[in-house]
């Protein structure tokens, strides 16, 4: 098994900020040309992934804010009441019993 690692170096000036250096050229050695080409492809993929992550994050934040806005509109009074099937049956039986009882007293 072969393990490979790649490093990215950033030049920093005395003011602790990035400085721009002239581009590195691979020269004529075929191995260096291959590595240079592969590095450019890895950078392209990395930047593409970064953009996808950024777009996904922004979409999630927009959805999240719209959910928050909707939840601001829902109050305990306006929220739908969720009843379990057993509770629903008990409620219906009670209503039926009450309805039956009121008809008997007529």
């Amino acid at each position: 098994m072969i393990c490979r690692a790649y490093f990215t170096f950033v030049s920093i000036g005395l003011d602790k900020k990035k400085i721009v250096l002239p581009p590195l050229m691979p020269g004529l050695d075929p191995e260096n040309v291959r590595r240079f080409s592969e590095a450019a492809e890895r950078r392209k993929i990395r930047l593409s992934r970064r953009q996808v992550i950024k777009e996904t994050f922004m979409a999630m934040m927009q959805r999240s804010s719209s959910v928050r806005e909707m939840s601001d509109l829902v109050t305990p009074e306006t929220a739908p009441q969720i009843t379990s099937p057993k509770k629903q049956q008990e409620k219906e039986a009670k209503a039926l019993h009450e309805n039956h009882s009121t008809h008997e007293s007529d």
Side-chain angles (χ1 to χ4, degrees):
M1 184 165 118
I2 297 174
C3 296
R4 294 183 181 173
Y6 299 96
F7 296 93
T8 300
F9 295 93
V10 178
S11 298
I12 299 179
L14 296 174
D15 58 356
K16 304 290 185 200
K17 295 183 181 179
K18 294 180 189 178
I19 57 172
V20 179
L21 297 177
L24 181 64
M25 299 309 290
L28 299 175
D29 179 25
E31 184 68 15
N32 286 344
V33 171
R34 181 187 63 79
R35 288 182 180 162
F36 191 79
S37 173
E38 289 174 354
E41 186 63 27
R42 285 191 306 273
R43 182 176 192 275
K44 181 179 171 183
I45 291 169
R46 187 176 66 247
L47 293 176
S48 174
R49 286 181 182 163
R50 181 180 183 184
Q51 184 64 30
V52 168
I53 291 170
K54 182 179 179 180
E55 289 170 1
T56 303
F57 176 76
M58 295 306 291
M60 288 174 53
M61 291 304 292
Q62 286 177 337
R63 285 188 198 130
S64 175
S65 66
S66 66
V67 168
R68 264 186 261 124
E69 290 167 6
M70 286 175 28
S71 67
D72 291 343
L73 300 174
V74 177
T75 64
E77 296 80 28
T78 62
Q81 298 298 315
I82 299 172
T83 308
S84 70
K86 184 176 180 181
K87 291 280 186 187
Q88 184 64 30
Q89 287 175 346
E90 291 171 358
K91 185 177 178 181
E92 289 170 359
K94 183 177 177 184
L96 186 63
H97 178 71
E98 289 173 357
N99 190 19
H100 183 68
S101 298
T102 56
H103 287 309
E104 286 181 0
S105 62
D106 289 342

